[in-house]
Amino acid sequence: MGLIFLSSSLMAKGPSHTSSTNAPIGNSNRPSATIRGIVIDESTGQAIPYVNIAIIKATKDSTLVNGITTDNDGHFVLKQSYGKYIIRLSFIGYKNYITNLNVDKDNINLGTIKIKQAAETLQGVEITAERSMVEYQLDKRVVNVDKNLVSAGGSASDVLESVPSVAVDQDGNVSLRGSSNVKILVDGRPSELLGSDLPTILAQIPASTIESIEIITNPSAKYNPEGMSGIINIKLKEKGNKGFNGNVALSGGFGLNKDKNDDNVLMPQTSFSMGLNYSTKKYAIFANGDLRYHKDGGSSFSDKSSYFPTDTINILQNRYTEDSRMGGGFKIGGDWYINNKNTLTLSYNLRRGGTAPNFQNTEDLFSKDAEDSSNPLNKNNYYGLELSTRRMFFQNFALSYEKKFDQKDRLLTLDANWNIGTFSSNNTQTRSFDINSVESYYLRTESKSDNDRAVVTLNYTHPFTSDIKLETGYNLNYVNTNANFNYYNTRADNKDDSMSYTFHYKEQVHAVYATLGYSLNKKLSAQLGLRAEEVIREGNKVQNNEKLTFPKDEDTKNYFSLYPTLHISYNITESQSTQISYSRRIRRPDPWALAPYIDINNPANIRFGNPDILPEYTDAFEIGYNKIFETTSIFASLYYRQTNNAITNIDFLWNQANATKYGFEWVWAVAGVEYSDGMRVAMTSKNLAKSSNYGAELILDQQITKWWKVNLSGNLFGNYADGREFGGKLVKSINWDAKLNSTMTLPKSWVVQISAQYNPERQTIQGYSTQMYWADIAIKKDILNKKGSLSLRFSDVFNTRQRTTYTFTENYKQYSTRQRTSQVLVLSFNYRFGVMDRELMKRQKKGQQENSVIEIGGEE
């Protein structure tokens, strides 16, 4: 396994992920050579990443003089002064490979080196090579989904739950290092697929279609600066091995849920995916598709007290949710290898899905004070029913071009994407004083949103010398959203023009960036980056023949910003290094938070946007340290982030006094007295003057025995936020969370994985939520000559995944608890088929021209 680095892109020469530079070792006056090679598994032909390469003096003391690890493709490149040495290759689960190395010319190509799996039996346990579930690369942390058994048969949300530093709450909202301000990408690009209802979309992407999850906590200037806490990149499966091959994944199971009568109900959970790949020396074609059907449920309870000058209204609410979701998609594309220097890739991706027509929420409302004759709920339950159907249709067209040059590491790439997404819903609400009485309230809402996004990136990398490299480029991000919302307040389908509206929003972000990397010597390297962005945006809402444009402040419609970055790395020894990094980041208010819309769908809440929201800016600092032992890897970091104009969600009791106090008279003019019944809570966003987030993170990878691996991660973090101007409080809190993943490889190709998580109490400016913890377990068995596998997972074994929230404002307090379907039992089957074109695989490994297989030396 390579050394652990902070999430940044250092510009040290070569493909290595270790602390070693490629500078010559020893007497600087002696000539030096460049040594390169590729390491593969002897039995499978697969390249092996993170193999330790050690250069040792060919003397009695056997002093270690240089070292490196292979990159993702099994390659290594390093420089070494002339002389006689021993080269040793080592990797957990493989036999050590040792041979003499005579460095007597400028360039030495060791070609392809084959190493053998240990295949060693220890107390009946067969040891075979396994790629780690979590890998630590130069600029990111990578979670390999195929090693994450506890998410098998699940969704993208299930995968994210097991990623170190990432948390997913009961509503499917994602946070990184305790902050929900995180940018989520698909295949490195923003996507309309994630632009509307993120929790719903993530729940519909099967885990079997995801290759890996990348975590970048402090990106360089090359990356989009959105997301205070960093970037989460969901990499979907695309291409398999070379030749003709494919894979199939099938899963089925059920979730266990309680209905309103407290009876156990089984919720089906199924998914299917398939991928095909075919390659020749001139082209490659890939296609994959998937389907996922799952039924979920949930229950919640709240106890709310609303305070008025003369009395108090106490309301209890029980709410039950049941929904069926069906989704699927396919992707097709191909590569054209024009020649050894030019490659063109085209692809098309379609995804659609939504909830079945029987999605429903049912609720009971009743007063705690039956003697209060002024309370309409004093004698009867208040019964509500909500039926909803949601639909999503998404398309992506992508073109990529790559040009290599004769000069090593000089590269030109063009990446162009066009996303088209349509999201629609039909929601009907009714209320009555019991399930059989006449309706006292009716509201139906139809909505449709059409979203277009174009993303174009042109990137050029130029190495001036082996130690100095410049990377520069241009990025365009264009968004166009058009939406219609129609409200019907009677079953006669008479549209309420006073509430119905259309919504339009356009945004262009033009960015140019440059990063300059410099390796001063073997130990010290640095990268300086700068990104400049010009933002052009406009939006409007048309309601009742009146047009309202936003943002209201002309100075914030179009704005220019600079985003500097700095990363410095120091290699203390060959097995430990440290890094300091800084970046400036932004959180732009999304169109829906900015738009002056009003949503009255939920009888307990009224939601609306705020056209006065300003972008928030964050200065992020990070210090990291990593150390590698023979069976242990340790990664530790300290981070601090200060945010100006912090965007935060606020709640307050909906009445005229509060609407005026917080500057929402325009909302009161549309949804005033009729919706100010002492029950509804207004939900919107405002800017805080400042907030800060700081913490310490520790990740430990431990090979306890040859058949038992453990990954433990913990995050101690603090928050500062002042919400007193919004009727909230000053928050100064310190919390911690932790995740444990244990993988045991047992006899006869059995694997057992246990995952446990703890999320602490969370303080907010208007209350707090209690702690939450849970554990998952999964078992896998390889079958069909290891081409297939069966896995069984059971999530939330002890049924403890439930969080309680307390909210306090000037006018009300609320206790609430909610639980979704968390206990899920799923059986999954995976199968790989086809053959691999090894010659083609070698041809495409970084454009190397020499493909000869050299078998040198022996084994230890």
Side-chain angles (χ1 to χ4, degrees):
M1 180 180 293
L3 294 182
I4 307 168
F5 277 79
L6 276 171
S7 298
S8 63
S9 180
L10 293 182
M11 305 306 295
K13 180 178 178 265
S16 170
H17 300 304
T18 72
S19 60
S20 172
T21 67
N22 297 318
I25 309 298
N27 187 345
S28 60
N29 295 323
R30 295 172 60 189
S32 62
T34 298
I35 304 170
R36 68 181 70 239
I38 177 175
V39 183
I40 68 172
D41 184 301
E42 184 181 65
S43 60
T44 67
Q46 295 282 349
I48 308 175
Y50 310 114
V51 176
N52 291 304
I53 313 293
I55 306 296
I56 303 168
K57 282 186 178 180
T59 59
K60 291 183 179 181
D61 59 1
S62 300
T63 304
L64 178 68
V65 296
N66 203 352
I68 205 167
T69 62
T70 57
D71 65 7
N72 270 344
D73 299 322
H75 288 269
F76 66 90
V77 179
L78 76 164
K79 284 187 177 181
Q80 181 59 47
S81 56
Y82 279 25
K84 293 184 178 182
Y85 303 95
I86 295 172
I87 184 171
R88 182 182 69 200
L89 283 66
S90 59
F91 189 69
I92 293 174
Y94 284 81
K95 293 182 179 180
N96 285 351
Y97 179 95
I98 299 175
T99 189
N100 294 322
L101 176 65
N102 187 17
V103 182
D104 57 0
K105 57 183 179 181
D106 291 345
N107 290 286
I108 299 176
N109 191 340
L110 299 180
T112 302
I113 303 174
K114 300 177 181 180
I115 61 175
K116 293 181 178 180
Q117 295 183 15
E120 177 183 347
T121 300
L122 180 63
Q123 295 179 350
V125 179
E126 183 182 5
I127 308 301
T128 57
E130 284 286 339
R131 194 176 185 183
S132 299
M133 188 187 79
V134 183
E135 296 177 354
Y136 305 93
Q137 298 184 10
L138 186 62
D139 61 344
K140 57 201 163 202
R141 297 199 296 271
V142 180
V143 176
N144 295 304
V145 175
D146 61 336
K147 302 302 177 188
N148 185 8
L149 304 184
V150 293
S151 65
S155 66
S157 295
D158 298 314
V159 175
L160 289 172
E161 283 179 3
S162 62
V163 175
S165 309
V166 178
V168 181
D169 67 14
Q170 289 287 81
D171 298 317
N173 300 306
V174 180
S175 61
L176 176 61
R177 284 179 169 174
S179 171
S180 59
N181 185 359
V182 56
K183 185 68 174 178
I184 297 182
L185 307 176
V186 175
D187 287 333
R189 315 174 189 99
S191 170
E192 285 313 300
L193 183 63
L194 302 176
S196 180
D197 185 356
L198 177 61
T200 299
I201 301 305
L202 291 177
Q204 292 185 357
I205 300 176
S208 59
T209 65
I210 301 174
E211 181 72 28
S212 60
I213 303 291
E214 298 178 342
I215 306 298
I216 310 172
T217 56
N218 211 8
S220 70
K222 177 181 177 179
Y223 292 91
N224 189 317
E226 290 192 74
M228 178 186 77
S229 58
I231 295 171
I232 298 176
N233 182 30
I234 302 174
K235 289 195 68 176
L236 302 178
K237 291 179 179 177
E238 183 175 285
K239 307 167 193 176
N241 297 321
K242 309 308 173 185
F244 174 75
N245 54 83
N247 61 83
V248 176
L250 178 66
S251 70
F254 60 87
L256 190 62
N257 191 64
K258 297 279 189 179
D259 65 10
K260 65 179 301 180
N261 299 317
D262 203 33
D263 295 328
N264 288 323
V265 178
L266 299 183
M267 302 284 189
Q269 310 270 325
T270 61
S271 68
F272 170 80
S273 66
M274 183 175 184
L276 296 172
N277 306 274
Y278 178 71
S279 299
T280 70
K281 291 184 177 181
K282 290 298 294 181
Y283 65 86
I285 298 174
F286 54 89
N288 54 58
D290 64 84
L291 288 171
R292 175 170 165 80
Y293 171 78
H294 60 120
K295 193 172 184 179
D296 288 316
S299 61
S300 64
F301 170 79
S302 68
D303 180 352
K304 179 168 62 178
S305 298
S306 303
Y307 303 112
F308 297 91
T310 57
D311 63 353
T312 299
I313 295 180
N314 301 109
I315 298 172
L316 302 181
Q317 179 185 41
N318 288 307
R319 189 174 177 90
Y320 304 90
T321 302
E322 183 179 303
D323 63 279
S324 300
R325 300 176 182 178
M326 182 107 181
F330 73 88
K331 184 174 184 178
I332 187 170
D335 298 324
W336 177 26
Y337 309 119
I338 303 171
N339 51 44
N340 288 330
K341 298 287 193 263
N342 297 273
T343 302
L344 182 68
T345 301
L346 296 171
S347 68
Y348 170 75
N349 184 17
L350 179 147
R351 182 164 293 278
R352 64 185 307 165
T355 60
N358 64 338
F359 171 83
Q360 61 179 339
N361 291 321
T362 61
E363 62 184 353
D364 293 307
L365 299 175
F366 56 93
S367 172
K368 290 194 297 186
D369 186 5
E371 301 301 323
D372 182 5
S373 60
S374 66
N375 190 335
L377 307 180
N378 64 340
K379 294 181 181 179
N380 298 288
N381 283 356
Y382 189 24
Y383 176 79
L385 176 65
E386 181 179 348
L387 299 176
S388 179
T389 301
R390 296 193 292 270
R391 293 285 182 266
M392 176 269 292
F393 183 79
F394 166 84
Q395 298 179 85
N396 169 264
F397 303 87
L399 178 149
S400 297
Y401 170 72
E402 178 184 273
K403 178 175 178 57
K404 298 177 181 178
F405 298 86
D406 292 334
Q407 184 182 8
K408 186 179 182 299
D409 293 332
R410 186 181 173 195
L411 186 68
L412 175 69
T413 60
L414 172 66
D415 191 17
N417 286 264
W418 182 31
N419 300 279
I420 307 171
T422 299
F423 305 88
S424 62
S425 69
N426 192 318
N427 182 282
T428 301
Q429 281 184 47
T430 59
R431 300 183 211 161
S432 56
F433 280 99
D434 63 61
I435 194 170
N436 297 315
S437 63
V438 178
E439 291 176 0
S440 61
Y441 177 87
Y442 173 89
L443 179 67
R444 184 169 67 87
T445 307
E446 290 181 347
S447 67
K448 183 180 180 182
S449 175
D450 294 316
N451 306 284
D452 295 336
R453 182 189 292 268
V455 182
V456 179
T457 302
L458 180 66
N459 191 80
Y460 174 68
T461 302
H462 187 91
F464 293 102
T465 68
S466 61
D467 297 321
I468 302 177
K469 183 186 293 184
L470 174 69
E471 188 169 10
T472 185
Y474 165 78
N475 175 248
L476 165 68
N477 198 324
Y478 171 79
V479 178
N480 183 16
T481 297
N482 293 283
N484 292 280
F485 293 83
N486 296 320
Y487 291 84
Y488 302 85
N489 53 23
T490 68
R491 289 193 176 272
D493 276 354
N494 296 320
K495 186 170 75 169
D496 185 348
D497 290 329
S498 66
M499 293 295 300
S500 303
Y501 65 92
T502 61
F503 167 76
H504 307 280
Y505 183 80
K506 290 183 179 180
E507 181 178 276
Q508 301 176 51
V509 181
H510 300 270
V512 291
Y513 59 87
T515 62
L516 180 65
Y518 177 60
S519 296
L520 182 63
N521 51 42
K522 177 186 175 182
K523 290 183 176 292
L524 183 65
S525 60
Q527 183 203 71
L528 181 65
L530 182 65
R531 185 182 182 98
E533 289 190 348
E534 176 71 22
V535 178
I536 304 170
R537 57 182 184 159
E538 66 172 309
N540 66 75
K541 168 193 169 188
V542 179
Q543 183 174 12
N544 212 14
N545 296 320
E546 181 180 353
K547 184 176 182 179
L548 177 64
T549 61
F550 62 91
K552 292 196 296 186
D553 187 348
E554 291 294 332
D555 293 334
T556 66
K557 283 189 176 182
N558 305 329
Y559 57 93
F560 175 81
S561 300
L562 294 174
Y563 304 94
T565 63
L566 175 65
H567 297 82
I568 301 173
S569 178
Y570 182 72
N571 301 316
I572 303 169
T573 67
E574 292 183 359
S575 63
Q576 60 180 328
S577 64
T578 186
Q579 188 184 66
I580 300 174
S581 60
Y582 162 78
S583 67
R584 187 176 191 238
R585 307 192 59 73
I586 187 176
R587 179 186 180 187
R588 310 180 215 279
D590 67 68
W592 300 104
L594 195 66
Y597 75 96
I598 302 171
D599 182 2
I600 57 172
N601 278 337
N602 192 320
N605 303 314
I606 177 170
R607 297 175 182 266
F608 45 86
N610 182 2
D612 294 320
I613 294 181
L614 301 174
E616 68 175 34
Y617 291 91
T618 297
D619 293 292
F621 303 85
E622 194 160 344
I623 301 175
Y625 169 80
N626 50 270
K627 171 68 176 176
I628 297 296
F629 301 93
E630 185 175 354
T631 59
T632 307
S633 299
I634 297 175
F635 166 69
S637 69
L638 299 174
Y639 58 89
Y640 174 78
R641 300 185 291 255
Q642 179 171 300
T643 302
N644 297 316
N645 298 328
I647 299 173
T648 186
N649 297 325
I650 67 165
D651 300 346
F652 54 88
L653 191 68
W654 182 237
N655 56 40
Q656 188 171 12
N658 285 337
T660 302
K661 177 179 179 180
Y662 297 119
F664 295 108
E665 295 92 340
W666 61 273
V667 182
W668 183 260
V670 177
V673 176
E674 182 180 358
Y675 299 97
S676 141
D677 52 12
M679 294 168 50
R680 290 182 187 257
V681 173
M683 308 178 74
T684 188
S685 301
K686 297 279 284 185
N687 287 107
L688 293 178
K690 281 186 179 182
S691 71
S692 60
N693 180 267
Y694 50 90
E697 186 175 32
L698 177 67
I699 301 178
L700 174 70
D701 281 305
Q702 179 65 53
Q703 188 82 30
I704 297 177
T705 69
K706 288 189 175 181
W707 52 271
W708 187 7
K709 298 178 184 178
V710 171
N711 176 274
L712 176 64
S713 63
N715 184 30
L716 178 69
F717 59 94
N719 293 291
Y720 172 90
D722 191 350
R724 288 175 290 188
E725 65 175 298
F726 305 127
K729 62 181 180 179
L730 176 65
V731 174
K732 293 181 179 179
S733 65
I734 296 179
N735 294 309
W736 64 278
D737 57 29
K739 293 185 179 183
L740 171 69
N741 189 284
S742 170
T743 303
M744 291 171 281
T745 304
L746 303 178
K748 307 299 183 182
S749 298
W750 286 91
V751 179
V752 177
Q753 191 174 95
I754 298 173
S755 176
Q757 300 188 38
Y758 170 79
N759 288 335
E761 178 181 293
R762 300 290 176 93
Q763 295 285 334
T764 69
I765 62 171
Q766 293 185 317
Y768 68 95
S769 56
T770 59
Q771 65 182 359
M772 185 167 58
Y773 49 90
W774 69 96
D776 306 326
I777 187 169
I779 302 172
K780 185 181 106 170
K781 166 69 173 173
D782 287 336
I783 59 176
L784 303 177
N785 197 26
K786 295 190 177 183
K787 289 187 176 182
S789 65
L790 285 172
S791 60
L792 181 69
R793 74 174 176 98
F794 183 35
S795 61
D796 195 12
V797 177
F798 305 106
N799 197 26
T800 55
R801 193 169 184 192
Q802 177 177 302
R803 174 165 271 171
T804 300
T805 302
Y806 295 86
T807 304
F808 305 97
T809 74
E810 295 174 311
N811 303 114
Y812 84 94
K813 66 178 181 179
Q814 179 172 287
Y815 159 86
S816 61
T817 183
R818 185 180 182 195
Q819 185 171 23
R820 295 285 296 175
T821 303
S822 58
Q823 286 195 301
V824 179
L825 183 68
V826 174
L827 177 67
S828 301
F829 169 73
N830 289 269
Y831 182 71
R832 302 175 300 278
F833 58 89
V835 297
M836 178 179 63
D837 186 339
R838 295 184 182 179
E839 289 302 316
L840 184 62
M841 179 186 72
K842 290 187 292 183
R843 174 187 176 275
Q844 293 178 9
K845 293 297 183 182
K846 297 189 181 295
Q848 287 199 348
Q849 301 298 315
E850 296 181 44
N851 297 320
S852 58
V853 176
I854 304 175
E855 297 192 48
I856 57 177
E859 290 145 359
E860 183 181 47

